[in-house]
Amino acid sequence: MLPVNCGSHSDYQNFLTKNLRKYYPDPNALARSTWDIIERFWNLDLSFTDEFMADKYSKFGPAPRTPSCMQRSYLLSIAFKVTSITEWVAQLKINPLYAILSGFEVGDTPGVGTFYDFMKRLWNSQDENLSPHIHPLKTKVLKPKTKGTKADSIEKVTVAELLPQLEAASFSIDDQPYSSLFKIYKNEFLDISVSKGLITPEAIALAGDGTPVVTSHRERKKRICDCAEKGITGCKCDRYFSQPDCDIGWDSSRDCYYHGYDLYMLVASDSEGDLPIFPHFSCASKHDSHGFLHAFFRFKSFLPDYKVSKLLLDSAHDAMPYYEYCKRENITPFIDLNDKGGRPPVYKNDFTIGKDGVPICQSGFRMRRDGTETAKGRTKFKCPKISRKGGCVTCTCDTPCSDAKYGRTVHLVMKDNPRLFNNPPRSSKEWKLEYKARTSVERSNKREKLDFKLEDGRHRSTKMWYCRLYHILMLQHLDAWDLPFESPLKKLILNVA
């Protein structure tokens, strides 16, 4: 039958207060860190989950567990760093606090199968993975020659080809297997962060980066052909993969190969707490330049009210199509230059361009920025050897390249090369200050992988990895919400005790 709705969030608060009085009459007996989790969950309203998931249950049969209690319990397992569902089920039976916080009566807690059944209802597909188990062998990523650098892309399409394809594509959230997870995450957490002023969707600064997610120590595959029996050892026939959405990629931070996913995260770089906005899982061999496009255009389709004003990306995204797209969409790009992208050997006949887009004069000196003319779309640079003393302007260069009293000047026209010449210029304090905020996505990825132990899930299906990931994102938003200075829950318990 349909789940019995507990009524409202106030009913859960009353249940929690009643049972904490009974089992923990002295609030000071619990650790301060534990009370922080208790306070956050006492204020967390998950009523939308009960309403949204009502039609995912049959009208017949025994009454199931309340969906909000199941979701709350799974969130608690991640918050208390219990990475195994089996272990969490055992903890619910022996630890009254975990059961009470979840919304379950002590001694009447769900089993392992109930949790997996709940995850199944959060996944809008009969298949647990996005790809079929049987598919061809993939091209292996080559180890980069320089230590600490990312592997070269093995994609068969270029960024210039992929960007217009995804830009023209129409993505519907209802067509995605993770649509229920996304809607719960958006309504109960992302929208709440917006209402609290932590995120400004009307002009959001978006930082993006990919991070490796290790799912197993090796690639699990087996032959389904009879080539080995015929003596053919190096056949290219299709294989059966136990984790079809994963493959082998290169982890530049650990300088090793790994098997798993490439998680591309989009984060609000101007938010308090480095709040995540949208995640996307790709295979481990996916290059960041492609992973960003798949995540970004889905983000634009699923969250149409969010208007991107700035894009903060590392050098893996340094491709001309990005800059051209940003110019069309009135987005200010803050993308680090990649030396592999190259620079024009000569500009304005006798000037070369430095690695940060600053012109170098004939004598080898970096020219000095002298303002940006936005209306004309150009930035002015002047001779660095000009000296002003006592109202006199003189050139102190031994080999001056101009007879002008003011010295040689050069204008970098942005339309000539929007990749190298942008506003603000990479050499400016404004650009460097804004680009520093790109580390917000790295801090967010660190929280997901280390603080909330994303990789410790050790799941086999993309369904379970998405369930774990989205609930971790929910906790990141929950942790960013301010708590009252004095605990109202403690007062309620102490007033009666």
Side-chain angles (χ1 to χ4, degrees):
M1 61 183 294
L2 294 176
V4 178
N5 197 318
C6 62
S8 64
H9 177 58
S10 60
D11 290 338
Y12 166 72
Q13 291 182 321
N14 293 335
F15 169 85
L16 183 59
T17 305
K18 174 185 174 182
N19 283 274
L20 285 178
R21 288 171 183 166
K22 179 179 179 181
Y23 290 92
Y24 301 93
D26 180 13
N28 296 321
L30 297 172
R32 185 175 179 180
S33 58
T34 302
W35 262 109
D36 182 72
I37 296 176
I38 294 173
E39 287 288 345
R40 294 191 183 281
F41 277 83
W42 190 73
N43 289 285
L44 177 60
D45 187 354
L46 298 178
S47 303
F48 174 80
T49 300
D50 292 330
E51 301 170 7
F52 177 75
M53 297 193 68
D55 61 349
K56 296 180 179 291
Y57 291 83
S58 173
K59 296 181 179 180
F60 307 99
R65 299 284 180 174
T66 307
S68 60
C69 294
M70 295 298 300
Q71 181 191 6
R72 190 181 294 109
S73 188
Y74 186 56
L75 287 168
L76 282 165
S77 70
I78 300 174
F80 283 110
K81 295 180 173 47
V82 180
T83 58
S84 166
I85 291 180
T86 303
E87 182 183 348
W88 178 247
V89 168
Q91 290 291 332
L92 287 174
K93 293 180 179 179
I94 63 177
N95 193 329
L97 179 62
Y98 292 167
I100 294 169
L101 286 177
S102 300
F104 304 129
E105 294 287 350
V106 176
D108 182 20
T109 55
V112 175
T114 308
F115 275 96
Y116 281 105
D117 185 60
F118 175 70
M119 304 297 178
K120 185 178 180 180
R121 286 183 165 88
L122 290 174
W123 188 252
N124 295 13
S125 175
Q126 295 297 322
D127 298 321
E128 294 188 340
N129 298 286
L130 304 178
S131 307
H133 284 279
I134 299 175
H135 60 74
L137 294 169
K138 294 184 179 180
T139 305
K140 187 177 180 181
V141 172
L142 297 179
K143 179 180 178 180
K145 297 180 181 179
T146 307
K147 186 176 181 179
T149 59
K150 295 184 179 181
D152 292 335
S153 174
I154 59 171
E155 308 293 343
K156 296 181 180 179
V157 295
T158 64
V159 171
E161 297 169 337
L162 181 63
L163 193 150
Q165 293 176 12
L166 295 178
E167 186 179 7
S170 58
F171 297 99
S172 173
I173 185 59
D174 293 327
D175 296 336
Q176 310 301 320
Y178 52 81
S179 62
S180 294
L181 284 164
F182 177 80
K183 290 176 182 178
I184 291 174
Y185 157 73
K186 177 182 181 296
N187 282 272
E188 293 180 337
F189 295 88
L190 186 59
D191 288 351
I192 302 301
S193 292
V194 171
S195 66
K196 291 179 178 290
L198 301 176
I199 299 173
T200 54
E202 59 273 7
I204 188 171
L206 210 60
D209 195 17
T211 185
V213 176
V214 180
T215 61
S216 62
H217 292 295
R218 62 183 180 86
E219 185 179 41
R220 296 183 177 91
K221 63 180 185 290
K222 62 180 180 181
R223 293 175 182 268
I224 56 174
C225 61
D226 58 353
C227 292
E229 299 172 2
K230 297 178 180 179
I232 305 174
T233 56
C235 74
K236 302 297 183 180
C237 298
D238 292 357
R239 303 284 198 273
Y240 179 91
F241 294 84
S242 63
Q243 294 178 293
D245 296 327
C246 302
D247 67 357
I248 297 175
W250 178 259
D251 186 346
S252 58
S253 60
R254 298 186 182 96
D255 206 42
C256 65
Y257 286 104
Y258 76 97
H259 178 258
Y261 300 98
D262 176 75
L263 169 60
Y264 201 96
M265 284 299 309
L266 295 175
V267 172
S269 64
D270 53 354
S271 65
E272 296 183 21
D274 308 318
L275 292 179
I277 303 297
F278 183 75
H280 183 70
F281 272 131
S282 299
C283 57
S285 61
K286 183 74 68 177
H287 195 267
D288 278 357
S289 61
H290 286 65
F292 165 79
L293 295 176
H294 284 283
F296 181 74
F297 287 108
R298 283 172 172 80
F299 151 79
K300 284 181 66 67
S301 298
F302 302 159
L303 295 169
D305 295 334
Y306 283 60
K307 306 302 180 185
V308 181
S309 61
K310 301 173 184 177
L311 269 181
L312 286 69
L313 307 169
D314 64 14
S315 59
H317 308 79
D318 181 30
M320 185 64 78
Y322 281 91
Y323 300 93
E324 295 171 345
Y325 173 81
C326 288
K327 184 178 180 180
R328 292 197 307 269
E329 297 296 320
N330 198 26
I331 299 173
T332 305
F334 292 85
I335 305 175
D336 199 14
L337 276 178
N338 189 337
D339 289 337
K340 296 179 181 179
R343 296 185 297 276
V346 179
Y347 183 74
K348 299 294 184 182
N349 299 324
D350 53 0
F351 282 84
T352 57
I353 304 299
K355 62 180 181 179
D356 56 356
V358 176
I360 309 296
C361 72
Q362 293 176 343
S363 299
F365 298 108
R366 286 166 53 87
M367 300 194 72
R368 188 181 304 163
R369 182 185 171 213
D370 194 32
T372 299
E373 298 175 272
T374 306
K376 295 183 179 180
R378 65 184 189 179
T379 302
K380 180 181 178 182
F381 287 84
K382 65 180 182 180
C383 177
K385 292 295 183 176
I386 294 298
S387 174
R388 296 176 181 269
K389 291 184 179 180
C392 180
V393 180
T394 56
C395 180
T396 59
C397 182
D398 295 333
T399 57
C401 52
S402 174
D403 297 332
K405 182 179 179 181
Y406 188 72
R408 181 66 185 272
T409 62
V410 62
H411 292 87
L412 302 184
V413 183
M414 297 173 194
K415 67 178 182 180
D416 287 352
N417 192 327
R419 173 176 166 264
L420 287 176
F421 314 144
N422 44 46
N423 183 29
R426 289 185 177 86
S427 59
S428 64
K429 292 181 180 179
E430 302 97 309
W431 193 94
K432 293 176 181 178
L433 181 63
E434 187 69 40
Y435 189 71
K436 283 182 179 179
R438 195 200 65 82
T439 55
S440 60
V441 67
E442 296 176 350
R443 291 191 294 270
S444 179
N445 290 341
K446 174 261 178 188
R447 289 214 68 200
E448 293 150 14
K449 295 173 65 176
L450 299 183
D451 297 356
F452 291 112
K453 300 183 179 295
L454 170 63
E455 293 178 313
D456 289 6
R458 295 301 179 191
H459 303 301
R460 291 291 186 93
S461 66
T462 301
K463 174 190 74 176
M464 291 302 299
W465 281 110
Y466 262 116
C467 286
R468 184 169 182 81
L469 172 63
Y470 265 102
H471 283 81
I472 287 176
L473 303 189
M474 295 175 192
L475 288 175
Q476 286 182 263
H477 282 267
L478 182 62
D479 284 355
W481 301 346
D482 289 333
L483 290 174
F485 181 74
E486 293 185 357
S487 170
L489 182 56
K490 279 187 178 182
K491 286 185 177 181
L492 286 173
I493 296 174
L494 292 172
N495 287 341
V496 178

